[in-house]
Amino acid sequence: MVRLLLSAALFLASAAIGLGAALLLVDEMSVDLTSFIFVVVIFAVLQSVLAPFMARVAARNAPALLGGVGLITTVVSLLITTQVSDGLTIDGGIGPWLLASLVVWLVTMLATLLLPFLLAAFGVKALRENRGGAPVV
């Protein structure tokens, strides 16, 4: 149960980092500050539900699309999130949509890969400090 909660927290954090990076880099993208957490939760839930579904559909019908499932899922999740939530908007045509999707996908992917290592490093450091610098075995 703890592992599931930690995994969910890491996924939400990576989604927040990805959306935050896109907000900083894509001028046409905006999120109402009061609804940012709601937008992150909607986006993360959509990603976690759509990714396995789209991977199965692609594997069955178009195996060549398997590499792009993450990016396609990000576009669809952003599209649905903008429709469900009034807090997220992306204006200006297809260019900002593609750029926002690419940034969110890339940064979320990197955060999902790197956050566990950072948390583990901080955990080891905290253990060493609590044990007075003794090596952790």
Side-chain angles (χ1 to χ4, degrees):
M1 184 66 174
V2 172
R3 179 172 274 175
L4 178 67
L5 290 175
L6 184 58
S7 177
L10 286 172
F11 195 69
L12 284 169
S14 67
I17 292 168
L19 287 168
L23 285 168
L24 292 173
L25 296 173
V26 181
D27 293 333
E28 295 85 359
M29 183 174 174
S30 64
V31 172
D32 181 22
L33 189 58
T34 57
S35 61
F36 182 73
I37 293 173
F38 182 63
V39 167
V40 168
V41 169
I42 291 172
F43 176 78
V45 168
L46 286 168
Q47 282 280 88
S48 65
V49 170
L50 291 174
F53 171 73
M54 287 189 165
R56 268 185 264 130
V57 169
R60 199 173 318 136
N61 301 319
L65 290 178
L66 274 174
V69 165
L71 188 54
I72 293 167
T73 304
T74 301
V75 172
V76 172
S77 296
L78 282 173
L79 180 64
I80 294 171
T81 302
T82 59
Q83 299 303 308
V84 173
S85 167
D86 293 335
L88 175 65
T89 57
I90 303 174
D91 299 320
I94 195 164
W97 272 95
L98 292 176
L99 182 59
S101 299
L102 184 64
V103 169
V104 170
W105 170 73
L106 184 62
V107 174
T108 300
M109 178 184 61
L110 291 173
T112 301
L113 291 172
L114 297 176
L115 278 176
F117 292 113
L118 291 172
L119 290 176
F122 287 125
V124 168
K125 181 179 177 185
L127 281 174
R128 285 185 180 151
E129 289 173 357
N130 287 340
R131 293 184 180 183
V136 176
V137 183

